[in-house]
Amino acid sequence: MILYALDFDGVICDSAVETAITSWNVARSVWPDMPEGDIPPELMQRFQTVRPRVETGYEAPLLVRLLYNGVTTEALLADYKQQLDQLIHSEGLDVTGLKQRFSEIRDQWIECNETEWLQMNPLFDGVADKLRGLDALCYIVTTKQEQFVRHILQHHQIEMAAERIYGLDRQLSKQQVLEVLLNRHPEHQIIFVEDRLPTLRAMEANPALGNIRRQLVDWGYNTPDERVSVQAAGSGIELISLTQFLRS
């Protein structure tokens, strides 16, 4: 029996544009020197280039600020975490407060123009039909807040019980969630479908997760170099296309 553990952003939902817009507005509220108006198209493009490095939503406004300050995409792809940590420490930023502000500004957008917000969160082609017709047991394992996941799924007429959505609200790492699923469903073969290679690589240090199949999607937020590395012999990670996922 198969159990799918699916990441949300980058596997089910293409949220890069919505995340960039929200992050621009969060950054403008934190740094008053940033200009009013919409996120510049050029900055949007650079944000999408570095999007594969973003793990949790609160990081995205920091990324926007670094890009606005002129840090190159090459530097950010090569040294992402250090760049973020340096910005946090040099400006005395409060991560908890940044998470709250990110959530509040997204909430305001939904309240003011829910239709627009949903349009900025499309599902990847064919995924909605896949989820609606899935026979296997399915959970969502994400760092996104659960209310936003439910809202987007409901918009696409996808019914999923609340207890099958593990998001930021649970305060559990993805590895911890996978351990919960292993204990709850010992008779199932778990397939973890993810778009971030570091998340899949990190599982190798946890023997408890050794029997979980790891799949990296080639349509999500990862880089060509990461996809090539997965195809190397002995990686232990399957690289799958959207067509393969929809047919599985």
Side-chain angles (χ1 to χ4, degrees), residues 2 4 11 189-197 200-201 203-204 210-219 222 226-242 244-245 248:
I2 298 295
Y4 284 101
V11 173
Q189 166 69 72
I190 297 179
I191 302 176
F192 180 39
V193 185
E194 169 67 64
D195 71 310
R196 294 194 71 255
L197 182 58
L200 296 173
R201 292 279 193 219
M203 294 170 61
E204 295 167 5
N211 290 327
I212 293 179
R213 283 176 59 186
R214 295 172 293 160
Q215 295 185 338
L216 181 75
V217 304
D218 72 358
W219 65 89
N222 46 61
E226 288 173 330
R227 293 192 285 274
V228 169
S229 72
V230 164
Q231 293 175 301
S235 74
I237 299 171
E238 306 167 53
L239 181 68
I240 64 168
S241 68
L242 184 56
Q244 288 173 311
F245 174 69
S248 64

Side-chain angles (χ1 to χ4, degrees), residues 4-109:
Y4 284 101
L6 306 178
D7 181 35
F8 192 73
D9 293 317
V11 173
I12 295 173
C13 178
D14 187 4
S15 60
V17 171
E18 184 270 326
T19 300
I21 294 170
T22 300
S23 299
W24 171 259
N25 291 326
V26 173
R28 285 181 53 239
S29 74
V30 176
W31 293 281
D33 63 306
M34 295 181 66
E36 295 184 6
D38 297 335
I39 180 171
E42 182 270 339
L43 198 150
M44 169 75 82
Q45 183 177 18
R46 290 193 291 139
F47 177 91
Q48 291 178 291
T49 299
V50 188
R51 174 62 183 82
R53 293 289 186 264
V54 176
E55 183 174 7
T56 307
Y58 83 88
E59 298 174 10
L62 300 172
L63 172 57
V64 165
R65 179 61 175 180
L66 290 167
L67 291 169
Y68 178 76
N69 285 344
V71 181
T72 65
T73 56
E74 292 79 9
L76 285 162
L77 286 169
D79 202 15
Y80 175 74
K81 285 294 186 184
Q82 186 171 337
Q83 295 276 1
L84 258 61
D85 289 343
Q86 184 176 343
L87 179 61
I88 290 169
H89 293 307
S90 66
E91 304 211 9
L93 298 173
D94 173 39
V95 170
T96 300
L98 197 58
K99 290 178 181 179
Q100 182 176 352
R101 187 170 300 198
F102 190 91
S103 180
E104 289 172 351
I105 286 181
R106 182 177 267 160
D107 285 343
Q108 291 170 9
W109 186 2

Side-chain angles (χ1 to χ4, degrees), residues 178-191:
L178 291 172
E179 289 184 30
V180 169
L181 298 182
L182 280 168
N183 292 327
R184 184 176 297 166
H185 302 283
E187 73 283 5
H188 283 72
Q189 166 69 72
I190 297 179
I191 302 176

Side-chain angles (χ1 to χ4, degrees), residues 157-188:
Q157 295 81 50
I158 298 169
E159 298 297 330
M160 185 168 292
E163 61 267 23
R164 298 265 179 95
I165 302 173
Y166 280 80
L168 184 65
D169 318 59
R170 308 288 182 116
Q171 297 186 342
L172 295 172
S173 69
K174 290 186 176 182
Q175 289 196 29
Q176 289 172 319
V177 174
L178 291 172
E179 289 184 30
V180 169
L181 298 182
L182 280 168
N183 292 327
R184 184 176 297 166
H185 302 283
E187 73 283 5
H188 283 72

